[in-house]
Each structure stands twice: as C-alpha cells, then as structure tokens.
Amino acid sequence: MNDETTASEQSVRTVHSDRRAAFIALAAWLVPGLGHALMKMWGRALACLLCVGALLLCGAGMRGNLFTWETPDPFSRLGFIADAGSGLFYWVARSVEVGGPDVSHSDGDYGTRLIAAAGVLNLLAALHAYEAARGRKA
C-alpha cells in the first residue's frame, strides 16, 4: 500500500515538474533570458538577454531581412522560424522596421544572418532552460 502511494505521489511530482519546465521554456523563448531568470540563473539570463538583443539590434540596424511566414518559398519559411526564435524581439523589430530590408548591399545580407543567429541562439537558450528546469543540466 505504501509503495502505491509513493508511486502516485512521484507521478504527480513528475507531471508538475514537466509543466513547470514547459512554462520556463516558453518564457525563455518569448523573452530572452527570462527562463534562466525564473530559475535564478542571473548570469546566464543576462548573457542571453544581452547577446540576443545585441545580435538582433545590429542585424536590424544593418537593415537585414526579417522573414515572414506568408511565402511559398520553403527556405524563406525556415528563415522565418530562425527569426521568430528571438521571441518578442522579432515582433518588436517588425513593428519598428520602417525602411524595409536592404539586402542589395553586403550590410543588409550580414544583417539578415545576424537576425537569424539571434533567433537560433535564443532557441538554444530556451532548450537549455528547459533541460535545466527538468534537472538534467546546470
């Protein structure tokens, strides 16, 4: 009887832990560094926020292309996934983008790559926050 109670309590804890980890991963994706901040990993949280923010700011300042989902080209959709990986920063950059992209010059082309790198870096940071919340990494 005692073993059954222990097993059910552990199952409830596992479900609670998985939900918490999923919430932390979602928060880490939406706002870079927030997932680590929720776990009180202040150094990593600040590093994620500053790195993703700086990459996106530099890329947008170089007038890099911010991809959208509404395109028939599958490579542009992959570009959107990479760009949207930066969370809310992507939509802020889209809303303040007034001049549009300028990929005819090398600055704009490099800016496109910096924006994609910001998104991929944030996705990796969100994955790390998820794994840390589950207790697999520190």
Side-chain angles (χ1 to χ4, degrees):
M1 183 75 155
N2 203 5
D3 292 334
E4 291 176 10
T5 306
T6 305
S8 67
E9 287 176 2
Q10 190 169 4
S11 175
V12 169
R13 275 190 228 133
T14 302
V15 169
H16 178 70
S17 175
D18 288 345
R19 285 184 183 165
R20 180 179 178 272
F23 173 74
I24 285 176
L26 181 65
W29 169 68
L30 282 174
V31 179
L34 182 59
H36 288 94
L38 290 173
M39 293 184 294
K40 296 180 177 34
M41 296 177 156
W42 304 113
R44 289 180 192 229
L46 185 63
C48 290
L49 179 67
L50 292 178
C51 288
V52 172
L55 283 169
L56 194 71
L57 183 66
C58 289
M62 296 170 84
R63 293 182 60 192
N65 188 16
L66 285 165
F67 292 101
T68 61
W69 184 256
E70 295 89 24
T71 180
D73 183 22
F75 289 110
S76 293
R77 287 191 181 179
L78 284 174
F80 168 76
I81 292 169
D83 291 353
S86 60
L88 293 177
F89 285 8
Y90 169 77
W91 283 279
V92 170
R94 289 224 32 103
S95 66
V96 298
E97 181 186 49
V98 292
D102 181 21
V103 293
S104 63
H105 297 93
S106 63
D107 287 352
D109 193 37
Y110 286 124
T112 301
R113 304 308 179 255
L114 288 176
I115 293 169
V120 171
L121 178 64
N122 191 44
L123 288 174
L124 289 172
L127 178 63
H128 179 269
Y130 174 75
E131 292 294 328
R134 291 191 67 200
R136 292 188 181 182
K137 289 187 176 182

